Amino acid sequence: EAGVAQSPRYKIIEKRQSVAFWCNPISGHATLYWYQQILGQGPKLLIQFQNNGVVDDSQLPKDRFSAERLKGVDSTLKIQPAKLEDSAVYLCASSPAGQGAYGYTFGSGTRLTVV
Amino acid sequence: AQKITQTQPGMFVQEKEAVTLDCTYDTSDPSYGLFWYKQPSSGEMIFLIYQGSYDQQNATEGRYSLNFQKARKSANLVISASQLGDSAMYFCAMRGNNAGNMLTFGGGTRLMVKP
């Protein structure tokens, strides 16, 4: 079974530029999560999708962050314009609908550096 | 609201010895799950062990065991016979049934195994 795929692996941009991250979950997983992990901290949920609908985006800074999962499969997270404090690892995870224990799988993450 | 606290920013352990990583939690959900993840320097989140709030016995997975004390709201990870490859960040996380299946993470503990 293929894992959760994320790209790019690394990205360096200047502040005020825009950037997009892509995630392809495990086939058949209905739930997709985006987490932000700032260096030295635990991951923090940004947004959760169930199929192509948003379940929770309460911690997403909507003035600059956006995310979509149009066909209920892969997802894109965008930042525009980026700030220095957005430097972090962005982790994507997926799980089957209704489960959250053993079915929860993380991708390798995208490490963003804003200079 | 859910909260996970890991009070040990860093821990040293001698190779082949056991080590306990502390985790306390707070939640109003009557049913919840507790997880431990390992994050090596490469960045991926590796699932280690899971404990359900109604499980009667402490979870074990190979060299990992979870010391679950429900009344004290603690879920400490015990690693027996430490190996050099165990050096990594370790995160405790919680999923509550009223939280849309999302995981809430603690701040992590960096474990360093000395040869």
Side-chain angles (χ1 to χ4, degrees):
Chain A
E1 175 182 76
V4 175
Q6 288 190 249
S7 67
R9 190 77 174 90
Y10 303 94
K11 190 73 176 179
I12 301 174
I13 62 172
E14 295 182 350
K15 59 183 179 182
R16 291 187 290 273
Q17 286 187 324
S18 63
V19 64
F21 313 128
W22 176 80
C23 172
N24 194 23
I26 290 176
S27 178
H29 279 194
T31 309
L32 185 148
Y33 314 79
W34 282 102
Y35 283 84
Q36 179 194 56
Q37 185 178 18
I38 293 172
L39 185 65
Q41 299 180 17
K44 181 188 78 173
L45 181 73
L46 291 175
I47 189 167
Q48 176 185 346
F49 293 95
Q50 180 83 5
N51 296 310
N52 61 350
V54 175
V55 174
D56 185 347
D57 64 356
S58 57
Q59 298 194 77
L60 187 74
K62 298 180 186 64
D63 57 335
R64 298 183 301 105
F65 286 65
S66 64
E68 60 183 15
R69 193 185 184 198
L70 293 176
K71 297 182 179 179
V73 182
D74 58 343
S75 175
T76 302
L77 176 69
K78 296 179 181 178
I79 308 175
Q80 182 180 12
K83 293 184 176 181
L84 296 178
E85 59 261 36
D86 298 332
S87 294
V89 174
Y90 292 84
L91 292 164
C92 180
S94 70
S95 70
Q99 296 184 32
Y102 299 99
Y104 218 116
T105 306
F106 283 85
S108 297
T110 294
R111 185 177 299 273
L112 174 67
T113 302
V114 183
V115 298
Chain B
Q2 299 176 114
K3 185 176 181 181
I4 296 283
T5 303
Q6 295 179 253
T7 57
Q8 306 154 313
M11 290 276 290
F12 282 97
V13 64
Q14 198 68 39
E15 190 179 11
K16 299 181 185 177
E17 291 187 349
V19 62
T20 297
L21 306 184
D22 294 342
C23 172
T24 58
Y25 61 91
D26 191 24
T27 181
S28 57
D29 287 340
S31 176
Y32 50 89
L34 294 156
F35 301 74
W36 277 92
Y37 284 87
K38 172 184 178 181
Q39 188 177 45
S41 56
S42 53
E44 71 269 32
M45 297 290 280
I46 302 169
F47 167 77
L48 295 178
I49 196 166
Y50 169 80
Q51 178 86 41
S53 58
Y54 291 117
D55 292 345
Q56 294 297 313
Q57 293 188 325
N58 287 344
T60 61
E61 291 284 351
R63 294 188 298 112
Y64 305 108
S65 61
L66 201 151
N67 183 3
F68 180 48
Q69 298 186 48
K70 192 171 183 177
R72 300 180 65 177
K73 294 190 174 180
S74 73
N76 298 338
L77 177 71
V78 180
I79 305 174
S80 63
S82 297
Q83 301 172 356
L84 295 178
D86 293 335
S87 294
M89 285 292 293
Y90 288 81
F91 291 96
C92 181
M94 163 184 284
R95 172 182 57 81
N97 284 349
N98 295 331
N101 240 19
M102 60 169 276
L103 288 179
T104 299
F105 286 84
T109 296
R110 179 170 297 281
L111 177 66
M112 291 152 282
V113 181
K114 297 186 290 184

